[in-house]
Amino acid sequence: MIVAGIAVACGGISACGAASPDKGDRSATASASPTKKGPGGPGGRLFGGIWTFDQLTVDGQEVHQSEIVSPWIEFRDDGTVAGDYGCTPFRVKAELAATTLTLGEDVSVLPAPSATPAPPDEVAWCPEPEMQQNDIVSSTDPVAQQAKEEGRTPRSPELAEFEAKVKKFFHRGQLKITEKKLEQQAGGPPPESLPQLRNEHGDVATLTIVRSPGIFDTKFQLNERMVYDSTDGFKSAKDTSFEFHRDGTVTGKLGCNDFTAKVFFNGAHVFFRDAKLTTHRTCAAQNMEDEAAILKALKRSLNYRYFGNSEGIYMRDDVGSEYRATGLQFGPATDQ
C-alpha cells in the first residue's frame, strides 16, 4: 500500500482549502460541486471525486511513499484534472472518457484559501526548507542541485525522486482506465474493485478514494474520538450530526446544541475554522461533556488528514505517526 496509516474515504467537491500562500509549494484546490454529467464506464466512476494511490508502479518498480507526502488527483467538471505530485500542486487540461484519460497542457493551479490551519506540534506534510536543509546541504543529487541553481525551493532527494516518478507516470501518453478486483473475503460480500490507470509504457496506478461526492449528500454522526493508539466512543453519538455543504460550511449538532463551522478541503487534508454553537441549551451531563470535547477538537483547527465517503469519514492529525495523533471518526446518522 502506498497510502499509510488511514483507511476509509471522503468525497465530493466543496469550497476547498490548502496550505497558506507563504508555504509556496502547495496550492489550493477550490472547486464547485460537479454540475456536468461524467462519462460512463470506469471513467464515470472517477468523475467528481478525489483519489490517491493505493499502489503505483513505474518502470517495473513499485514506488514507495512516506507519510510526509499526500499525492492526489481530482477529476473536475471544468475539463481539468488538479492534484498534487506529493508536495507540488498541478492542474492540466484533461479529457475523461469511459475508458481513457488524456492529459493536456498545464493551466494555472487553483488559488490558495483565505484561511489556513494551525500546525500540529509535529508537522509531517511537505517539510519546510529548513527541515530539509541538512539533507540538501550534503546532497549531490542532481535534481536538488538544479533546483538550487534555478532559485527554486530544493527538495530532499527522497521527495524529489518520488515526485519525479509520479509526474513521469502521468505524462507518458494517454492513460487507459480499467478496474482491479479485490480479493474475495471468506464469507464476505462480493469483492469490490479499485480503478486503475495504465499508460503505454506499462506503468500502473491503482487508485483509492479520498473524497467521493456522496459526502455532501449524507448526514453523519460522530461515533469515535481517536487519542493516540486508543479510541473513545461518544456515549451521546446518536445525538450528534454533521452535514457538510458544498458552500464550504458544516452544520449540525454536537450532542446538545446546534453548531456551525467553516470547512476547508485540500486533497487528502481538511481543517475547520470558526466553530461555534448557535444554540445554548442545557442537556444531560454526558451530552454536555461530549459536546465540549467535540467543540474543543474543532476549534484546534488542525490540519487533519482524511478519507471518507457516504459510508464514513476518518480524519486524524497530520503528524508523523498515527500513534501520536488524535482524530475523529464519523458514520452515517442512524436516523436516516
Side-chain angles (χ1 to χ4, degrees):
M1 289 278 288
I2 196 168
V3 179
I6 309 177
V8 198
C10 184
I13 307 169
S14 126
C16 302
S20 60
D22 59 343
K23 300 183 191 307
D25 56 355
R26 292 189 71 83
S27 186
T29 160
S31 59
S33 59
T35 55
K36 298 178 182 179
K37 185 177 180 180
R45 181 179 179 185
L46 297 175
F47 183 76
I50 297 179
W51 303 78
T52 189
F53 298 117
D54 181 76
Q55 191 173 33
L56 175 64
T57 300
V58 176
D59 292 331
Q61 295 185 332
E62 185 173 350
V63 180
H64 296 282
Q65 171 192 333
S66 72
E67 286 193 349
I68 69 169
V69 293
S70 298
W72 53 271
I73 181 169
E74 175 186 359
F75 296 84
R76 298 167 49 81
D77 67 341
D78 60 359
T80 68
V81 161
D84 200 304
Y85 294 125
C87 281
T88 303
F90 70 90
R91 184 168 167 238
V92 296
K93 292 183 178 180
E95 293 182 13
L96 178 64
T99 58
T100 59
L101 172 64
T102 305
L103 301 182
E105 63 185 33
D106 291 337
V107 293
S108 299
V109 295
L110 295 163
S114 58
T116 56
D121 294 335
E122 179 186 352
V123 178
W125 55 279
C126 292
E128 293 297 298
E130 58 269 22
M131 297 174 64
Q132 305 178 57
Q133 201 59 41
N134 291 336
D135 290 336
I136 296 297
V137 168
S138 60
S139 174
T140 58
D141 178 75
V143 176
Q145 294 300 320
Q146 181 180 354
K148 288 196 294 183
E149 292 172 2
E150 295 176 355
R152 295 183 284 111
T153 301
R155 297 281 193 248
S156 68
E158 294 78 13
L159 178 55
E161 181 181 9
F162 174 81
E163 289 194 328
K165 289 182 178 179
V166 173
K167 188 173 184 179
K168 184 177 184 179
F169 168 79
F170 281 123
H171 297 282
R172 298 183 89 177
Q174 188 180 72
L175 295 159
K176 292 185 177 180
I177 308 171
T178 58
E179 294 188 333
K180 175 186 177 181
K181 281 286 184 70
L182 301 179
E183 293 183 6
Q184 171 72 56
Q185 300 297 319
E192 297 180 354
S193 63
L194 295 177
Q196 278 192 329
L197 302 177
R198 185 185 301 268
N199 61 33
E200 61 186 18
H201 295 271
D203 304 328
V204 182
T206 303
L207 304 181
T208 185
I209 192 71
V210 170
R211 192 180 79 202
S212 70
I215 189 177
F216 298 108
D217 302 315
T218 302
K219 186 177 181 180
F220 296 96
Q221 66 183 30
L222 180 55
N223 292 331
E224 290 185 342
R225 173 179 53 187
M226 287 81 72
V227 181
Y228 308 126
D229 59 350
S230 64
T231 59
D232 178 15
F234 283 92
K235 296 182 175 63
S236 58
K238 62 181 178 60
D239 297 319
T240 66
S241 67
F242 280 69
E243 294 184 67
F244 294 89
H245 306 289
R246 297 178 187 273
D247 65 356
T249 61
V250 56
T251 58
K253 188 178 178 182
L254 298 185
C256 180
N257 288 284
D258 300 337
F259 85 102
T260 185
K262 295 177 183 178
V263 61
F264 296 87
F265 295 97
N266 179 45
H269 294 90
V270 62
F271 61 96
F272 300 86
R273 271 285 188 258
D274 302 329
K276 60 185 177 182
L277 299 178
T278 56
T279 62
H280 300 283
R281 297 183 289 264
T282 300
C283 302
Q286 184 64 63
N287 287 50
M288 297 291 287
E289 181 181 337
D290 287 346
E291 177 175 274
I294 300 169
L295 188 61
K296 182 178 179 181
L298 296 181
K299 283 187 172 182
R300 291 174 68 210
S301 295
L302 292 185
N303 197 43
Y304 288 107
R305 185 177 289 203
Y306 79 102
F307 283 82
N309 56 22
S310 59
E311 296 180 356
I313 304 173
Y314 174 99
M315 58 181 68
R316 70 167 177 86
D317 302 344
D318 192 14
V319 295
S321 169
E322 63 181 313
Y323 297 108
R324 294 193 294 274
T326 61
L328 304 171
Q329 187 163 328
F330 303 82
T334 55
D335 61 353
Q336 291 200 105

